Amino acid sequence: MITDRWFYGPLRSPLGRRLLAAFLFVALSSVAVLTAAALVGTAQGLTSAQQNDRREAAARTAEAAAVAYQRADGWAGADLTAASAIAGAAGAGLVVRDGDDQMVWPGRGMGPGMNGMHAAPTVVEAPVITDGRSVGDVRLAFTTTATAGRAVAWSWVLGAAAVALLTALLAAGYVTRRLTRPLHALIGAARRFAAGEPAARARTGGPGELGELADAFDTMADEVVRAGQVRRRLAADVAHELRTPLAALQAGLEELRDGLREPGIERLAALHDQTLRLGRVVQDLADLSAAESAALSLRRTDTDLADIARTAVAAYQGLLDAAGLRADTDLTVALPVYADPDRLHQAVTNVLANAARYCRLGDRVTISGHRSGDVAVLEITDTGPGIPADELPHVFQRLWRGHRARSVAGSGIGLAVVRELVTAHSGTVSAASPPAGGTTITIQLPFARTARADR
């Protein structure tokens, strides 16, 4: 189960194999370097400790030889058995020489020395000091090494290396699986989505950036699905808007063609109204397309947003009066902006047209402006029925007409055009509607010098 989970899974994909190979290479290299360093360090430590022990043994042997020399008042008759025992306990043969470099120990028939030693010994010397002068020296010949200590060190180091390698293998398999699993889920979701499954999502909580990538893919898929729904709704709404006037035009023209009705002024005027309705729908779509590319066609100049609003209200006054609305302005403060006056005029008139379309007879529309820091603020407020809270987030979406779509004429493009035009000027537009009724559309644009700096 462990092998299947940690190794067979990642090995099923090329990326998993590459990652696992890379992790294993790093793990093996690290374990090899650490093992070699541990063995070298252990060997040097054992050698240094062994040398210190041998020097101490030589020093103790020299002290014992000095005591024997003082007791015998010379090397002749000195009993060096104690010194030989110290050397033997340290695993070394003892040779004692006098000041003339003549061998004193071992004598004939006496204790072990270097005779008969086949292996090349390691000799450690120490002077024999009595009364502050050197009377000879002792030489300890060591033929054994710290093989037992090295064997223990090797066993521990190699055991630790095996445990580290096993841990590295398990960690490599775990990390590889953690990295490849969200990628496999993302690849599968992308393939299913491309194959026509709109509900395909990665939905995997991968580590770090992989999780963010999966979330970004899911968000993108949601937006693609939403955009597809908007396109389908757009096609349906445009078809619905065009179907009625086209059907009326077709029926009227067929009647005139077949001679069922005379081409009188009233009948021709009705057909002309249907063509105007078609023209409005087509113009709305053209305005939206132009607004979406407004950033490429803006003719900016230093202008006053308050003057633009006053001009727009004056130009639209007749239609507001026809709708039974009263328009008031509070535009006494200059609002200098660096913008395209024609585009902003179009944005303001679209808001006014939207108010005229949805407000009731006798309602009031107020256009006011003020400054807020380095921002010019234009507010268009009406006393109409307002917008439901659940529809407010959608009012600037193209073709959104809300629950009153059946009772109010229009294509649902006007406010979408407003948003595109204001955004092209590095501004923002928002809508607010309190529960008591009424709607406020707020347009915010940077002042002229701020707008120039942004460019």
Side-chain angles (χ1 to χ4, degrees), residues 284-355:
D284 285 342
L285 294 175
D287 289 343
L288 179 60
S289 177
E292 290 177 341
S293 59
L296 303 177
S297 60
L298 292 179
R299 299 179 180 178
R300 294 175 182 261
T301 184
D302 289 323
T303 186
D304 187 355
L305 182 58
D307 286 340
I308 294 174
R310 281 192 291 267
T311 303
V313 172
Y316 214 78
Q317 187 66 52
L319 294 177
L320 292 175
D321 292 341
L325 303 181
R326 177 181 174 183
D328 298 325
T329 58
D330 181 12
L331 300 169
T332 58
V333 180
L335 303 174
V337 294
Y338 185 63
D340 187 332
D342 294 334
R343 296 294 189 181
L344 292 185
H345 184 278
Q346 180 183 3
V348 175
T349 55
N350 278 14
V351 177
L352 294 175
N354 197 72

Side-chain angles (χ1 to χ4, degrees), residues 163-189:
V163 173
L165 182 59
L166 179 60
T167 303
L169 290 174
L170 295 176
Y174 173 76
V175 172
T176 301
R177 183 178 178 84
R178 285 279 291 169
L179 293 177
T180 56
R181 184 175 61 181
L183 289 177
H184 290 162
L186 183 59
I187 292 171

Side-chain angles (χ1 to χ4, degrees), residues 7-353:
F7 295 102
Y8 290 166
L11 288 177
R12 291 193 182 101
S13 67
L15 177 61
R17 290 192 293 270
R18 292 190 184 97
L19 288 174
L20 187 59
F23 288 138
L24 291 180
F25 174 76
V26 173
L28 288 173
S29 301
S30 302
V31 170
V33 170
L34 292 176
T35 300
L39 291 176
V40 172
T42 301
Q44 291 180 348
L46 290 175
T47 300
S48 177
Q50 187 182 56
Q51 289 175 350
N52 290 333
D53 292 342
R54 289 175 176 180
R55 285 194 291 269
E56 292 179 0
R60 291 196 304 271
T61 302
E63 292 176 357
V67 172
Y69 178 89
Q70 289 177 344
R71 287 178 179 176
D73 196 19
W75 289 116
D79 185 6
L80 297 175
T81 303
S84 178
I86 294 174
L94 175 63
V95 173
V96 181
R97 293 180 179 272
D98 59 15
D100 298 327
D101 201 25
Q102 298 296 318
M103 183 181 294
V104 176
W105 179 274
R108 180 175 297 182
M110 298 178 70
M114 290 186 288
N115 296 328
M117 294 182 181
H118 301 289
T122 300
V123 179
V124 179
E125 299 181 1
V128 178
I129 305 298
T130 59
D131 298 330
R133 63 187 181 91
S134 175
V135 295
D137 59 64
V138 296
R139 302 178 182 182
L140 277 64
F142 295 91
T143 57
T144 59
T145 59
T147 55
R150 285 190 174 88
V152 173
W154 269 91
S155 63
W156 277 98
V157 171
L158 292 179
V163 173
L165 182 59
L166 179 60
T167 303
L169 290 174
L170 295 176
Y174 173 76
V175 172
T176 301
R177 183 178 178 84
R178 285 279 291 169
L179 293 177
T180 56
R181 184 175 61 181
L183 289 177
H184 290 162
L186 183 59
I187 292 171
R191 288 175 176 171
R192 294 195 306 273
F193 191 83
E197 184 180 341
R201 299 292 184 272
R203 291 193 177 92
T204 176
E209 288 79 1
L210 290 177
E212 294 179 5
L213 176 62
D215 293 339
F217 172 82
D218 291 346
T219 302
M220 180 201 68
D222 293 338
E223 288 300 316
V224 170
V225 172
R226 188 190 65 81
Q229 294 173 347
V230 169
R231 283 194 299 271
R232 289 190 293 271
R233 188 169 62 246
L234 170 62
D237 290 344
V238 171
H240 174 74
E241 291 292 332
L242 296 177
R243 185 181 299 114
T244 302
L246 281 175
L249 277 173
Q250 181 180 359
L253 292 174
E254 288 177 353
E255 288 177 348
L256 295 177
R257 182 197 63 185
D258 297 337
L260 299 177
R261 297 190 65 175
E262 293 295 329
I265 296 178
E266 293 183 359
R267 187 55 180 164
L268 292 177
L271 295 179
H272 183 259
D273 290 340
Q274 298 301 329
T275 61
L276 293 178
R277 184 176 179 185
L278 283 173
R280 284 196 302 270
V281 175
V282 174
Q283 185 60 42
D284 285 342
L285 294 175
D287 289 343
L288 179 60
S289 177
E292 290 177 341
S293 59
L296 303 177
S297 60
L298 292 179
R299 299 179 180 178
R300 294 175 182 261
T301 184
D302 289 323
T303 186
D304 187 355
L305 182 58
D307 286 340
I308 294 174
R310 281 192 291 267
T311 303
V313 172
Y316 214 78
Q317 187 66 52
L319 294 177
L320 292 175
D321 292 341
L325 303 181
R326 177 181 174 183
D328 298 325
T329 58
D330 181 12
L331 300 169
T332 58
V333 180
L335 303 174
V337 294
Y338 185 63
D340 187 332
D342 294 334
R343 296 294 189 181
L344 292 185
H345 184 278
Q346 180 183 3
V348 175
T349 55
N350 278 14
V351 177
L352 294 175

Side-chain angles (χ1 to χ4, degrees), residues 325-326 355 359-360 362-366 381-386 436-439:
L325 303 181
R326 177 181 174 183
C359 286
R360 302 156 299 193
D363 284 334
R364 175 179 297 180
V365 179
T366 304
T381 304
D382 64 61
T383 59
T439 301

